[in-house]
């Protein structure tokens, strides 16, 4: 039988769930939703029911659309200001980031509404059929791979911030280790509820009430009114022409797509292979204000019928605030330090996330996106250049060494021409090996010459590609 499609995701279980949905007759959106739901279980500190994100979809023969289900600023009807937040320092090789956690950091979540809207508007399968495998996995448990064990170690200060979070995400007070089994029966029950009743319980029902009560008791300003008012927003994506290709990405108020578009514009027309200094200059030109969620994951899907879906979700670093009985670990987006201008109550926060797809002649050839905080547009740009300009296959394109430029400083993986960067005037921080600091780019492709489906999974975050 001919392949039904291809899925790339940040965890093998997430990619496998998407592939199973394709085999069951679902389209690329069903596969993406199934993968996202499974990522709540398999990548629990990167995403979840308390997170937010964006889904870029391209139905065959139609214009791409962007579903914005990112987090919103809370505070409707709240008494007083938010509670003080606690600083947490996350250390990567050669650099650090400071985040803030606690009830004062929690914004209005969007993932329950987002996956429900995507399945209802674009999918073929009932939502309950997409939540059921993720719920079974949560009850059976997932053994931590190296990437997830590393994330638990990095974010131990977050998940140890409250007794409830520590009880859910640590073992005997320590981060769980590679190979250890984590079960989450509360999350399983919540996924079953989502499948049976959709998003309503999480915004106007008992779950919403429990969230608002717990956050309010801790001094936060996320209220029932905030949750009841939350809506998924349908947006037209940004589009830039690059040679024969059209590149679509995340529009404002997100900053990620705009950063990518500015960087592509700076590179100019394709036809040459930009060196490290040219890439660095493009990244510097693309940089701008915007939030940079720290713990993020991405799913890319193409199916045999021409549907394409690119979805990025983030929980920030997580707030450490878990809501007993709901399966929810709330985001800490109000505690992310890269926010330039706080949004008004009810407005979306900006983000660095940039789900992206590439079309030629109206047909989607490439779907990609990345995790990686403020490095997201850098990862996406370099993979795009590798595939479109250099003609490199997706897996090789994802694995190739990367650079990032921020505030005049360059960060480089082994294999980058550091001398060229230094000659261009950049102070360079050298990494000893490929690192999750440089993102987790997951890409799928329909080969323009043969029509074959393939992809690239980022080993920096233990990603996986499955052809169904």
């Amino acid at each position: 039988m001919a392949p039904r499609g291809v899925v790339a995701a940040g965890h093998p279980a997430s990619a496998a769930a998407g592939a199973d949905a394709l085999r069951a007759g679902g389209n690329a959106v069903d596969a993406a939703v199934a993968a996202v739901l499974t990522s709540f279980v398999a990548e629990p500190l990167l995403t979840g029911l308390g997170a937010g994100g964006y889904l870029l979809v391209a139905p065959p023969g139609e214009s791409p659309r962007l579903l914005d289900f990112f987090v919103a600023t809370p505070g409707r009807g709240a008494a007083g200001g938010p509670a003080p937040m606690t600083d947490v320092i996350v250390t990567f090789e050669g650099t650090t980031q400071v985040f803030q956690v606690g009830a004062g950091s929690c914004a209005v979540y969007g993932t329950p509404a987002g996956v429900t809207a995507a399945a209802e508007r674009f999918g073929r399968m009932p939502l309950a059929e997409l939540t059921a495998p993720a719920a079974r996995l949560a009850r059976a448990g997932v053994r931590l791979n190296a990437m997830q064990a590393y994330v638990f170690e990095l974010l131990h200060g977050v998940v140890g911030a409250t007794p409830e979070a520590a009880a859910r995400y640590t073992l005997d007070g320590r981060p769980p280790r590679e190979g250890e089994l984590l079960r989450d029966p509360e999350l399983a029950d919540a996924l079953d509820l989502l499948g049976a009743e959709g998003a309503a319980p999480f915004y106007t029902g008992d779950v919403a009430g429990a969230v608002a009560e717990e956050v309010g008791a801790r001094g936060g300003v996320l209220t029932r009114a905030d949750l009841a008012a939350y809506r998924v927003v349908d947006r037209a994506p940004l589009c830039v022409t690059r040679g024969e290709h059209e590149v679509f990405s995340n529009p404002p108020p997100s900053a990620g797509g705009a950063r990518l578009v500015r960087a592509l514009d700076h590179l100019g027309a394709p036809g040459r292979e930009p060196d490290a200094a040219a890439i660095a200059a493009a990244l510097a030109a693309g940089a701008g204000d915007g939030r940079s969620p720290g713990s993020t994951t991405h799913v890319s899907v193409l199916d045999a019928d021409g549907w394409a879906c690119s979805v990025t979700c983030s929980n920030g670093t997580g707030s450490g605030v878990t809501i007993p009985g709901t399966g929810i670990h709330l985001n800490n987006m109000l505690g992310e330090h890269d926010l330039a201008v706080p949004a008004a109550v009810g407005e979306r926060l900006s983000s660095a996330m940039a789900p992206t797809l590439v079309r030629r002649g109206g047909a989607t050839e490439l779907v990609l996106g990345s995790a990686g905080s403020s490095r997201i547009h850098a990862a996406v740009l370099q993979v795009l250049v590798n595939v479109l300009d250099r003609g490199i296959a997706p897996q090789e394109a994802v694995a190739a060494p990367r650079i990032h430029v921020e505030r005049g400083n360059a960060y480089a993986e082994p294999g980058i021409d550091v001398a060229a960067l230094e000659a261009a005037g950049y102070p360079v921080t050298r990494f000893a090996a490929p690192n999750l600091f440089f993102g987790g780019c997951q890409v799928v492709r329909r080969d323009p010459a043969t029509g074959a489906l393939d992809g690239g999974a980022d080993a920096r975050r233990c990603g996986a590609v499955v052809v169904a």
Side-chain angles (χ1 to χ4, degrees):
M1 294 179 64
R4 284 290 310 137
V6 58
V7 183
H11 192 283
S14 306
D20 286 344
L22 290 172
R23 296 185 188 103
N27 64 14
V29 176
D30 294 309
V33 169
V36 167
L37 291 165
T38 298
S39 74
F40 296 173
V41 182
E43 307 168 66
L45 298 190
L46 306 181
T47 183
L49 291 167
Y54 307 90
L55 184 147
L56 179 60
V57 57
E62 299 180 24
S63 299
R65 301 301 303 175
L66 189 286
L67 296 188
D68 176 345
F69 56 95
F70 195 54
V71 303
T73 304
R76 286 180 171 86
M85 293 181 273
T86 302
D87 286 350
V88 174
I89 298 175
V90 177
T91 302
F92 299 93
E93 180 187 335
T95 188
T96 63
Q97 284 185 275
V98 179
F99 302 94
Q100 291 184 304
V101 301
S105 71
C106 303
V108 187
Y109 51 78
T111 47
V115 295
T116 301
E120 291 178 347
R121 179 170 172 181
F122 297 108
R124 296 173 183 161
M125 299 175 67
L127 183 59
E129 292 185 18
L130 303 175
T131 59
R136 288 195 295 269
L137 185 64
R139 290 191 176 95
V142 179
R143 293 200 181 276
L144 264 67
N145 61 21
M147 163 62 188
Q148 294 305 314
Y150 181 42
V151 170
F152 272 91
E153 183 178 349
L154 281 178
L155 301 183
H156 183 56
V158 175
V159 298
T162 63
E164 295 82 6
R168 184 172 172 186
Y169 294 124
T170 66
L171 297 176
D172 299 323
R174 61 166 174 81
R177 301 179 182 121
E178 182 179 359
E180 292 185 323
L181 187 70
L182 284 187
R183 296 185 177 91
D184 198 336
E186 283 192 359
L187 177 57
D189 291 343
L191 289 167
D192 284 340
L193 178 65
L194 181 67
E197 301 185 30
F202 298 86
Y203 294 95
T204 58
D206 291 344
V207 175
V211 169
E213 181 178 354
E214 184 71 20
V215 173
R218 296 174 181 266
V221 296
L222 175 56
T223 68
R224 288 200 70 147
D226 291 319
L227 292 165
Y230 186 87
R231 298 291 184 274
V232 174
V233 181
D234 185 320
R235 304 189 192 278
L238 293 177
C239 179
V240 61
T241 300
R242 184 162 178 78
E244 298 179 343
H245 295 95
E246 292 180 303
V247 181
F248 296 86
S249 196
N250 203 2
S254 171
R259 291 177 180 178
L260 176 64
V261 167
R262 287 196 299 268
L264 285 168
D265 282 342
H266 187 85
L267 280 179
R272 61 187 180 89
E273 295 187 15
D275 61 12
I279 292 290
L283 294 178
D289 293 334
R291 298 182 67 83
S292 301
S295 297
T296 311
T297 190
H298 182 82
V299 175
S300 295
V301 188
L302 272 168
D303 71 26
D305 298 325
W307 284 81
C309 192
S310 179
V311 54
T312 314
C313 296
S314 179
N315 208 32
T317 60
S319 64
V321 178
T322 58
I323 313 301
T326 69
I328 293 177
H329 175 202
L330 290 168
N331 67 83
N332 75 317
M333 294 302 183
L334 300 180
E336 296 277 342
H337 280 211
D338 286 341
L339 179 61
V341 180
V345 170
E347 290 185 358
R348 291 296 200 270
L349 299 177
S350 184
S351 166
M353 292 187 279
T356 299
L357 60 86
V358 180
R359 280 184 155 185
R360 180 165 58 175
T364 303
E365 290 185 1
L366 198 69
V367 181
L368 71 164
S370 183
S373 190
S374 57
R375 284 83 63 192
I376 287 174
H377 77 289
V380 174
L381 175 77
Q382 289 168 87
V383 173
L384 278 174
V385 167
N386 286 341
V387 175
L388 299 183
D389 296 3
R390 295 176 173 141
I392 297 174
Q395 187 59 64
E396 184 183 354
V398 169
R402 290 187 198 142
I403 63 173
H404 177 65
V405 174
E406 193 163 345
R407 298 181 179 91
N409 297 301
Y411 303 84
E413 291 184 325
I416 292 294
D417 185 356
V418 171
L421 294 174
E422 292 175 335
Y426 294 100
V428 180
T429 298
R430 306 180 189 214
F431 280 63
N435 190 280
L436 63 78
F437 175 83
F438 293 89
C441 194
Q442 317 300 342
V443 56
V444 295
R445 178 184 67 162
R446 179 176 284 106
D447 189 301
T450 66
L453 298 173
D454 62 359
D458 206 326
R460 295 170 183 85
R461 302 211 174 198
C462 290
V465 174
V466 179
V467 177

